């Protein structure tokens, strides 16, 4: 049985809303309805305070939305920090929503950890991938976050149309006050958003297949890392892959998760059910029983994950003095 006091890491989707229209985003791959959801501060406070005090890390990401579209997000972060000043916070954002004052307040509340701002190029190329976002506004908001006391890094997805701008973007990141810059390969490419031709890149899905060792065990995250995923609609899952699979149904090898969520989804929502009841309920128990025998789970949560992440990086630089 899994209990809240065993949870040391929390992946949270604060909102399913997003103001951007990135072509390769999971938002474009839905096969099931997933509406405009967000987690309010009042709802977030339903999570056990004792669990939040014991967290080692919390990551604000999500499969389908951006944290900056949740008006309560600053208050949620402040609530976590008030309970647990040692927790390491992470996440990423397109940074294009809310005003500078909001971002300054978020920087003041963020505490330990860092927030990634996704800027795929410079002013003339960024919105080709991050459709509907404004490069200069994102820089303004990132600068406000940093000025408020937050630590930020610049995440740059490399395409053929922006590959020549990596060096200039890295210099700009240093000037603005980002702590780190890294450029990575895209999850996909097409005729409009082409792969770079001055770097060798391999798609993430192909990297998993090439780097995964035969017989890699599936290490289900709640059991082995003490982490869970909470979606903006309130449903609680062992990992983000479970939720994204249910909404996008993109991989048959993880197909066992779809009927499980369909069967139990009314009883795995922390907005209406106690978290302890969900963690000890039939949905989590069924996943724990099936995951070790799933080829998809072995692939995604086996020994290849860290190697895949390293291979995706094209360029990285830290601006923090080493001495």
């Amino acid at each position: 049985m899994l209990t809240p006091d065993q949870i040391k890491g929390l992946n949270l989707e604060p909102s399913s809303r997003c103001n951007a229209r990135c072509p390769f985003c999971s938002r474009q791959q839905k096969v099931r309805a997933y509406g405009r959801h967000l987690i309010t501060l009042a709802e977030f406070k339903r999570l056990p305070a004792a669990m939040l005090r014991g967290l080692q890390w919390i990551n604000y990401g999500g499969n389908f939305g951006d944290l900056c579209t949740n008006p309560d997000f600053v208050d949620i972060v402040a609530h976590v920090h008030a309970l647990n000043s040692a927790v390491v916070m992470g996440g990423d954002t397109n940074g294009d929503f809310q005003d500078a004052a909001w971002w300054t307040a978020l920087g003041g509340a963020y505490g330990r950890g860092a927030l990634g701002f996704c800027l795929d190029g410079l002013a003339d190329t960024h919105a080709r991938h991050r459709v509907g976002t404004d490069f200069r506004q994102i820089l303004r908001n990132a600068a406000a976050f940093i000025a408020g006391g937050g630590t930020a890094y610049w995440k740059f997805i490399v395409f053929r149309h922006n590959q020549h701008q990596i060096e200039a973007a890295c210099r700009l990141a240093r000037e603005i006050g980002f702590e780190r810059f890294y450029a990575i390969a895209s999850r996909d490419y097409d005729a409009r958003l082409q792969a770079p031709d001055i770097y060798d890149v391999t798609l993430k899905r192909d990297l998993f297949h090439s780097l995964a060792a035969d017989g890699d065990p599936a290490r289900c995250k709640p059991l082995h890392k003490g982490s869970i995923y909470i979606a903006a609609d309130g449903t609680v899952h062992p990992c983000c892959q479970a939720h994204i699979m249910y909404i996008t149904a993109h991989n048959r090898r993880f197909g066992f998760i779809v009927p499980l969520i369909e069967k139990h989804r009314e009883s795995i929502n922390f907005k209406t059910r106690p978290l302890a009841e969900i963690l000890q309920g039939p949905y989590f128990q069924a996943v724990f029983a099936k995951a070790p025998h799933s080829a998809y789970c072995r692939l995604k949560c086996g020994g290849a994950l860290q190697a895949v992440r390293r291979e995706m990086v094209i360029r990285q630089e830290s601006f923090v003095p080493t001495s």
Side-chain angles (χ1 to χ4, degrees):
M1 290 288 187
L2 186 67
T3 59
D5 64 292
Q6 294 173 297
I7 303 302
K8 301 304 176 186
L10 176 62
N11 285 297
L12 183 79
E13 181 183 54
S15 173
S16 70
R17 306 172 185 178
C18 189
N19 56 308
R21 302 184 301 280
C22 306
F24 303 132
C25 180
S26 300
R27 292 174 63 84
Q28 317 303 333
Q29 302 170 5
K30 297 175 187 174
V31 298
R32 286 180 176 80
Y34 187 56
R36 294 168 60 83
H37 304 285
L38 58 80
I39 295 173
T40 66
L41 176 63
E43 290 167 342
F44 186 81
K45 286 182 175 180
R46 287 181 55 87
L47 294 174
M51 182 191 77
L52 297 177
R53 291 189 187 98
L55 289 181
Q56 296 174 1
W57 58 265
I58 180 168
N59 186 70
Y60 306 107
N63 292 325
F64 300 99
D66 196 289
L67 58 84
C68 67
T69 64
N70 185 336
D72 281 1
F73 184 65
V74 173
D75 294 328
I76 288 171
V77 170
H79 176 68
V80 174
H81 194 253
L83 291 173
N84 184 352
S85 61
V87 68
V88 177
M89 299 192 183
D92 54 45
T93 176
N94 67 46
D96 187 59
F97 204 64
Q98 308 294 352
D99 59 21
W102 188 91
W103 287 99
T104 300
L106 180 61
Y110 211 73
R112 299 180 63 193
L115 181 63
F117 286 79
C118 301
L119 292 144
D120 301 336
L122 298 176
D124 59 332
T125 59
H126 165 77
R128 185 164 177 176
H129 176 236
R130 301 282 171 179
V131 179
T133 65
D134 186 301
F135 178 82
R136 291 181 177 85
Q137 179 165 297
I138 298 165
L139 285 189
R140 180 205 70 186
N141 291 339
F145 176 80
I146 294 167
T151 299
Y153 62 89
W154 182 320
K155 177 181 175 183
F156 183 122
I157 297 180
V158 182
F159 300 92
R160 192 171 302 180
H161 67 265
N162 66 12
Q163 62 185 359
H164 62 290
Q165 296 178 322
I166 291 177
E167 202 64 45
C170 189
R171 290 195 300 270
L172 182 58
R174 181 193 292 269
E175 292 170 9
I176 291 173
F178 286 92
E179 187 174 273
R180 184 163 56 96
F181 172 91
Y182 76 105
I184 63 171
S186 175
R187 69 165 63 175
D188 219 337
Y189 294 102
D190 61 16
R192 180 175 176 274
L193 297 169
Q194 298 179 359
D197 57 8
I198 62 174
Y199 302 102
D200 292 326
V201 298
T202 304
L203 295 180
K204 189 175 183 179
R205 56 179 174 268
D206 296 330
L207 282 171
F208 266 110
H209 287 290
S210 66
L211 294 172
D214 290 338
D216 266 356
R219 298 177 60 83
C220 203
K221 291 180 180 179
L223 290 180
H224 294 277
K225 291 188 175 181
S227 67
I228 56 174
Y229 178 82
I230 299 180
D233 64 356
T235 55
V236 183
H237 305 274
C239 64
C240 68
Q241 297 293 334
H243 181 243
I244 200 171
M245 180 65 192
Y246 179 67
I247 302 299
T248 67
H250 65 281
N251 197 304
R252 292 180 182 177
R253 288 176 300 171
F254 198 26
F256 77 82
I257 203 72
V258 174
L260 280 180
I261 295 176
E262 192 66 35
K263 180 179 180 180
H264 298 293
R265 61 179 178 171
E266 297 301 323
S267 62
I268 59 172
N269 196 309
F270 89 97
K271 296 180 181 182
T272 58
R273 300 291 181 98
L275 182 64
E277 178 183 307
I278 296 170
L279 298 181
Q280 296 168 25
Y283 170 57
F284 269 76
Q285 298 313 307
V287 173
F288 294 158
K290 292 177 178 292
H293 311 289
S294 164
Y296 185 85
C297 293
R298 289 197 300 271
L299 186 68
K300 288 289 186 177
C301 292
L305 181 59
Q306 295 303 319
V308 168
R309 288 175 175 169
R310 288 193 298 270
E311 289 293 322
M312 293 283 290
V313 176
I314 292 172
R315 163 76 183 275
Q316 60 181 330
E317 186 165 341
S318 173
F319 310 127
V320 179
T322 55
S323 58

